[in-house]
Amino acid sequence: MHELMTELFPICRSITGDGMRQTFEILAKQLPIEINEVATGTPVFDWTVPREWNIRDAYVKDLSGRRVVDFQRSNLHVTSYSVPVHGRFSLAELKEHVFTLPEQPDLIPYRTSYYAERWAFCMSERQLASLQDAEYEVCIDSALEDGSLTYAEVLLPGLVPEEVLISAHACHPSLANDNLSGVVLAAFLAKHLTRRQRRYSYRFLFIPGTIGSITWLARNERQVAMIRHGLVVACVGDCGAFTYKRSRRGNAEIDRAVALALRDSGAPHRVVDFSPFGYDERQYCSPGFDLPIGCFSRTPHGEFAEYHTSADNLDFVRPEELAGSLSMVVRIVDILEGDRRYKNLSPKGEPQLGRRGLYPSVGGKAANVEQLAILWLLNLSDGRHSLIDVAERSRLPFAFIRRAAEALASHDLLELLDDER
Ligand code: ZN
């Protein structure tokens, strides 16, 4: 995952443009990816697909011709969607077009101006302070023209057409945790799922933030009805504890599955309520859709000091944290895939388990986890409770509950209910 991230990191991405296309071409080497282009000017709900932005070069040169700010050294140096400019400016004039972080004087900020036409440079406070009061040649060789918005989609069909949606924003330039970490997690989850049997169909979206999810929703309004569960994945490579933000519904199956996966893992974590601020869950959970989609992160956006700065780099994101995040999402998928309802076929009194080898013949000892799982399942399998219900109420790990259900079914004590899932 870190290797793939290292390959993607140098590319200058924005909400549109060739950086997104290059990113998706790299993902396409590993995944059955479909790349979509949506023309500038296309109406998408209350929005319009913007003009396409591309950039070749940018710099600030002193009078000796030396680049004192160089886009080739960091693509964060230019505010995303900067309009082209070329001319001579005094330091005072240039400063009108500079963003810095005075409180983090060595870091370059990441800034965008998608929907207001302007040009600006981003640099460290120290870099700005080192500029002499002189004249500078300023150039941003960019283009803001009619073109298209590019997003990528991977669909892995399952036994049923109902879908699990995994969405990652891929519109940031050289920033690692936000959100190449989410992009590579989604890509590796897709690779993992291609190799295993799937009950659900899985749809992966690699999109520009906000305008991308709005565009996808506008073009796929009918497909939306097939989404049963979903996750937005972002900021999953730092060393912070897991954070899950619930869907707007708050008690959707995905919300409960994530909480169980986190609980069962024993990993430090917190689960927080939905709020209409953050990533694309804002769009998926807008009232016109209200989809069961939460947001899975480690340290959430804005809560780590490296957020939206040049310090969110390949050293900040660690391979072992990426791997831990992927394992956790696989646990979540295991719960979604494994959740079923059963009916107890011997509901009058407990069935005699010892006779079937399901209960120890020596009495007097405290029940172990397997026995407790069996007793809870037999008791709650009245056709109304799912395995998630049993795991929550018994406080036993979901994996034990599921294994015990399979054992009881193989002894004809439980019957798997045919349900729509
Ligand atoms: Zn961001």
Side-chain angles (χ1 to χ4, degrees), residues 163-373:
E163 293 183 2
V164 179
L165 182 81
I166 307 289
S167 178
H169 67 276
C171 52
H172 289 24
S174 294
L175 296 172
N177 202 32
D178 179 20
N179 185 34
L180 286 177
S181 68
V183 169
V184 301
L185 184 146
F188 273 68
L189 178 65
K191 288 206 306 191
H192 165 81
L193 286 168
T194 55
R195 293 191 294 265
R196 71 182 246 187
Q197 216 200 3
R198 301 173 297 272
R199 182 159 63 106
Y200 286 112
S201 299
Y202 287 79
R203 185 182 298 273
F204 293 83
L205 296 183
F206 301 93
I207 49 175
T210 307
I211 188 68
S213 48
I214 288 172
T215 300
W216 187 85
L217 287 165
R219 300 180 92 211
N220 295 277
E221 235 181 311
R222 276 200 301 194
Q223 194 60 33
V224 166
M226 301 310 286
I227 297 172
R228 287 291 172 276
H229 320 286
L231 287 177
V232 168
V233 287
C235 304
V236 290
D238 63 283
C239 61
F242 293 111
T243 304
Y244 176 66
K245 182 169 110 178
R246 292 187 188 100
S247 72
R248 180 178 184 269
R249 299 184 191 182
N251 63 348
E253 207 172 315
I254 184 67
D255 302 321
R256 299 168 66 200
V258 177
L260 275 182
L262 290 166
R263 183 198 76 177
D264 290 354
S265 75
H269 67 271
R270 61 189 167 135
V271 177
V272 299
D273 273 331
F274 177 77
S275 59
F277 183 64
Y279 294 112
D280 289 302
E281 69 278 10
R282 292 159 64 165
Q283 315 312 327
Y284 301 126
C285 295
S286 57
F289 291 105
D290 196 18
L291 293 173
I293 295 180
C295 181
F296 181 80
S297 302
R298 283 183 178 272
T299 308
H301 64 94
E303 293 183 22
F304 51 97
E306 296 80 358
Y307 174 72
H308 280 189
T309 75
S310 51
D312 182 0
N313 57 27
L314 292 167
D315 297 325
F316 179 57
V317 166
R318 307 228 302 254
E320 61 272 27
E321 309 298 347
L322 289 171
S325 296
L326 177 61
S327 306
M328 190 60 71
V329 176
V330 169
R331 269 176 182 268
I332 295 164
V333 165
D334 286 341
I335 294 176
L336 295 175
E337 288 276 316
D339 192 31
R340 291 288 200 287
R341 282 180 305 131
Y342 288 87
K343 194 174 153 201
N344 182 344
L345 297 176
S346 179
K348 293 183 175 165
E350 286 175 0
Q352 197 186 356
L353 297 169
R355 169 155 68 82
R356 298 174 171 90
L358 293 169
Y359 212 76
S361 53
V362 178
K365 291 196 287 183
N368 65 28
V369 177
E370 280 84 0
Q371 290 153 24
L372 286 173

